[in-house]
């Protein structure tokens, strides 16, 4: 009534558009992968090689490679269902030979960036019900294509596969590179280890530091215990923290010594007290009053400049 049921005329165009969409997406990813391979070869060709960054780029390359592989299989599935659309519309139940194909398309609709697959999934849900959709999304009884599930899995590739890609890229671009570490049998089956920064040079910005990282000794470094200060900031004795290079290394070693305590507020006991005499206030008298009282004339006659002489004598005594 509201157009929410199965419609053959909507399913077939979406299948056709999905085929074109898969082809376009595969072409774009293939072009980007060629550029990624060239960038990985440049990382391996640097001195020293940036192997850790190259491993991360190789992991992304492997994921894109698997995505293209899954796209091509899903493209074939859409073409098959488009050709058998009349069979699907005529039968109420899903044909046995198409169950895996339809379930795989419904499962992949949540893992690929192809909007037509969402519309296809809704049409098959309207045709075969919610239980069929749930079984497809959860892969009940292993109904979905295992190869597509492996290529679209979120699990990272094994370390062996990453190293294999790096070696083949180095051979293809004529890069003289060999892995820094030979993988053991257990490491080959596991995912790639997280980067630790071994391929990152010391002080890459200025280039003034030694080319190799500092040797680490787990027994020696002088650092003040800043948490044991007293009320005025007095530092305690130095403690040992395991981060400094050994004494045998040819690298200068600087010890961080405790900071002197800051001066407390207030006057010290041995500080000499300096007496500063107060400044005598000057009384301003207007010209009218001075004329009437004759104050200015009286001061000049009495020679009150002795106040200045007494102040100068006091300051001279303080200087001594």
């Amino acid at each position: 009534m509201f157009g929410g049921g199965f419609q053959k005329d909507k399913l077939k165009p979406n299948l056709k558009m999905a085929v074109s969409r898969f082809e376009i997406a595969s072409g774009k990813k293939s072009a980007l992968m060629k550029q990624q391979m060239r960038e990985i070869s440049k990382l391996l060709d640097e001195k020293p090689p940036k192997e850790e960054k190259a491993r991360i780029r190789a992991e992304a390359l492997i994921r894109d490679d698997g995505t293209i592989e899954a796209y091509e299989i899903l493209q074939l599935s859409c073409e098959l269902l488009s050709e058998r659309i009349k069979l699907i519309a005529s039968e109420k139940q899903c044909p046995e030979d198409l169950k895996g194909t339809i379930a795989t398309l419904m499962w992949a609709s949540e893992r690929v960036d192809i909007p037509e697959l969402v519309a296809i999934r809704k049409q098959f849900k309207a045709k075969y019900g919610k239980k069929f959709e749930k079984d497809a999304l959860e892969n009940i009884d292993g109904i979905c294509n295992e190869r597509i599930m492996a290529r679209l899995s979120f699990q990272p590739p094994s370390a062996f596969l990453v190293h294999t890609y790096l070696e083949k890229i180095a051979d293809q671009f004529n890069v003289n590179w060999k892995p820094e570490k030979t993988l053991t049998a257990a490491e080959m089956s596991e995912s790639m280890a997280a980067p630790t920064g071994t391929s990152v040079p010391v002080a890459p910005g200025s280039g003034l530091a030694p080319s190799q990282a500092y040797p680490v000794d787990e027994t020696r470094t002088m650092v003040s215990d800043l948490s044991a200060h007293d009320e005025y900031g007095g530092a305690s004795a130095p403690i040992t923290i395991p981060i400094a290079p050994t004494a045998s290394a040819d690298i200068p070693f600087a010890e961080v010594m405790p900071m002197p305590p800051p001066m407390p507020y207030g006057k010290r006991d041995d500080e000499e007290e300096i007496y500063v005499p107060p400044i005598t206030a000057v009384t301003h008298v207007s010209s009218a009053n001075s004329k009437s009282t004759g104050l200015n004339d009286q001061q000049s006659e009495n020679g009150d400049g002795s106040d200045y002489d007494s102040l100068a004598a006091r300051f001279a005594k303080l200087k001594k």
Side-chain angles (χ1 to χ4, degrees):
M1 179 178 179
F2 297 100
F6 174 77
Q7 297 181 13
K8 178 183 68 175
D9 296 336
K10 285 188 177 181
L11 178 60
K12 187 171 183 178
N14 282 316
L15 290 170
K16 290 288 188 180
M17 287 192 299
V19 171
S20 301
R21 185 86 67 176
F22 278 125
E23 187 175 356
I24 294 173
S26 298
K28 288 183 178 180
K29 284 188 175 293
S30 298
L32 290 176
M33 287 177 63
K34 293 180 181 179
Q35 182 179 356
Q36 292 175 359
M37 292 171 62
R38 194 176 298 107
E39 292 176 356
I40 292 174
S41 66
K42 292 180 180 179
L43 293 174
L44 297 177
D45 197 27
E46 291 189 14
K47 304 299 180 186
K50 294 185 178 180
E51 185 173 326
E52 289 182 320
K53 183 179 290 187
R55 291 177 187 171
I56 298 175
R57 299 286 180 87
E59 183 174 334
L61 188 69
I62 293 171
R63 191 176 299 278
D64 290 341
D65 223 355
T67 302
I68 293 176
E69 183 179 341
Y71 279 4
E72 293 184 359
I73 300 175
L74 293 172
Q75 181 181 353
L76 295 175
S77 300
C78 291
E79 289 182 355
L80 176 63
L81 295 178
S82 178
E83 293 298 327
R84 298 190 184 181
I85 189 67
K86 293 182 179 180
L87 174 64
I88 295 172
S90 61
E91 296 188 6
K92 186 176 181 179
Q93 300 295 330
C94 181
E96 291 294 330
D97 57 337
L98 296 180
K99 277 187 177 181
T101 303
I102 295 174
T104 302
L105 283 177
M106 299 178 74
W107 179 87
S109 64
E110 295 185 342
R111 288 169 173 79
V112 297
D113 190 17
I114 304 295
E116 286 77 12
L117 284 189
V118 178
I120 293 171
R121 170 185 161 187
K122 291 180 179 179
Q123 288 296 317
F124 283 123
K125 177 184 177 181
K127 176 70 174 177
Y128 301 121
K130 293 182 179 180
K131 185 178 184 303
F132 186 88
E133 181 191 31
K134 181 180 178 181
D135 293 345
L137 295 178
E138 297 179 359
N139 191 27
I140 302 299
D141 298 330
I143 191 174
C144 298
N145 189 314
E146 295 182 358
R147 185 177 175 185
I148 292 180
M149 293 185 67
R151 296 299 178 265
L152 297 180
S153 174
F154 299 137
Q155 295 297 324
S158 63
F160 172 75
L161 187 59
V162 173
H163 274 259
T164 302
Y165 266 66
L166 292 179
E167 290 176 353
K168 290 187 176 182
I169 291 174
D171 293 340
Q172 180 176 348
F173 290 89
N174 298 322
V175 177
N176 186 15
W177 172 83
K178 293 297 179 183
E180 296 179 353
K181 178 183 177 182
T182 303
L183 298 177
T184 62
E187 293 174 339
M188 287 183 181
S189 58
E190 297 178 354
S191 60
M192 183 184 63
T196 58
T198 56
S199 60
V200 178
V202 179
S206 62
L208 302 179
S211 59
Q212 296 181 352
Y214 290 101
V216 176
D217 182 14
E218 298 182 353
T219 59
R220 182 173 178 267
T221 284
M222 303 299 292
V223 179
S224 62
D225 185 5
L226 301 180
S227 63
H229 287 179
D230 56 12
E231 181 180 0
Y232 298 105
S236 62
I239 61 173
T240 301
I241 297 179
I243 57 173
T246 60
S248 60
D250 296 332
I251 299 176
F253 170 64
E255 294 184 352
V256 181
M257 300 306 294
M259 293 291 294
M263 296 297 296
Y265 292 102
K267 187 177 73 66
R268 298 182 304 181
D269 296 337
D270 57 347
E271 183 178 0
E272 182 180 358
E273 184 175 358
I274 300 176
Y275 172 75
V276 178
I279 300 176
T280 305
V282 179
T283 304
H284 296 277
V285 182
S286 62
S287 58
N289 293 336
S290 64
K291 290 180 181 179
S292 60
T293 58
L295 181 61
N296 293 338
D297 299 337
Q298 183 180 358
Q299 288 180 352
S300 59
E301 292 176 358
N302 296 337
D304 286 341
S306 60
D307 292 340
Y308 173 79
D309 297 336
S310 62
L311 287 175
R314 290 182 183 181
F315 279 110
K317 183 184 296 184
L318 290 175
K319 291 181 181 180
K320 294 180 180 180

